[in-house]
Amino acid sequence: MPAEVRASWSKVAVSRAKRGLTGGERERALRELEVVRAPLRETGILGWVSAELHADVCRAIVRGLGPDRARVFWADLTTESMRAPLMRPIVSAALSIDGRRPESLIRRAPRVWELVTRGAGELTATKIDDGIHLDYAHLPRAFCETAFLLAQVGTCDACLAAVGATGDASIELDPSGARARITVRW
């Protein structure tokens, strides 16, 4: 089975670039995203796109904004998504059940991964003393890149912010082993 992701993930990113960025950042990001816009238009919001196409979105965001701003872009996108009518009750329930702690949200990443990807490897979450490890295994080649992982780190940043925590995330990438680890500490 080829590695795929829900089209909504890529589509929301393009939409966020169109309406959430301004000035030169918006122009650069949209110019870089131009190559992916036509194939995304052809796919329904709940359809599937190739991992490579989604990775192209991630790469375009990094080329248009630079790595630091790309990370913020993905954090803002996740924050906005967590406030949306569909996600708000899920986030609220997670925080009510497990408390207002970063791991209440971040430890759910493997379940979300299962919902938004297929044939794209596995994700596990392991609590450590001062944070959590997110371990990706059997990743498609397109996801064995910093551009893709910056999107994941941005999501972790949004989870930290959602509970008022400060912290940081680091990336360890082993492309030859199709593995990556994001360590989030708070």
Side-chain angles (χ1 to χ4, degrees), residues 59-72:
R59 292 179 197 115
I61 296 297
V62 170
R63 284 192 310 268
L65 304 178
D68 293 340
R69 281 290 297 137
R71 181 175 171 170
V72 171

Side-chain angles (χ1 to χ4, degrees), residues 12-149:
V12 167
V14 172
S15 176
R16 174 94 178 121
K18 286 195 303 194
R19 62 183 171 63
L21 297 174
T22 59
E25 280 190 338
R26 181 179 189 275
E27 290 173 25
R28 286 188 308 276
L30 292 179
R31 184 174 50 249
E32 294 294 338
L33 286 163
E34 189 58 39
V35 70
V36 300
R37 292 175 77 184
L40 284 175
R41 274 189 223 105
E42 296 171 8
T43 307
I45 194 86
L46 293 178
W48 296 91
V49 298
S50 70
E52 185 64 39
L53 181 65
H54 183 70
D56 285 343
V57 171
C58 297
R59 292 179 197 115
I61 296 297
V62 170
R63 284 192 310 268
L65 304 178
D68 293 340
R69 281 290 297 137
R71 181 175 171 170
V72 171
F73 172 89
W74 290 105
D76 290 347
L77 184 147
T78 301
T79 297
E80 186 177 303
S81 295
M82 287 193 296
R83 292 179 180 150
L86 179 64
M87 292 298 296
R88 189 176 35 234
I90 296 167
V91 170
S92 180
L95 296 176
S96 293
I97 292 167
D98 294 328
R100 291 191 64 80
R101 300 171 309 179
E103 65 263 28
S104 299
L105 297 173
I106 297 172
R107 74 180 186 85
R108 287 177 166 71
R111 181 67 182 126
V112 173
W113 184 259
E114 291 173 5
L115 295 172
V116 300
T117 69
R118 64 182 182 190
E122 299 142 13
L123 172 60
T124 57
T126 307
K127 179 76 173 92
I128 58 175
D129 287 341
D130 58 346
I132 199 163
H133 289 308
L134 295 174
D135 289 302
Y136 298 80
H138 312 293
L139 288 172
R141 184 178 10 246
F143 289 176
C144 291
E145 298 180 12
T146 303
F148 171 75
L149 293 170

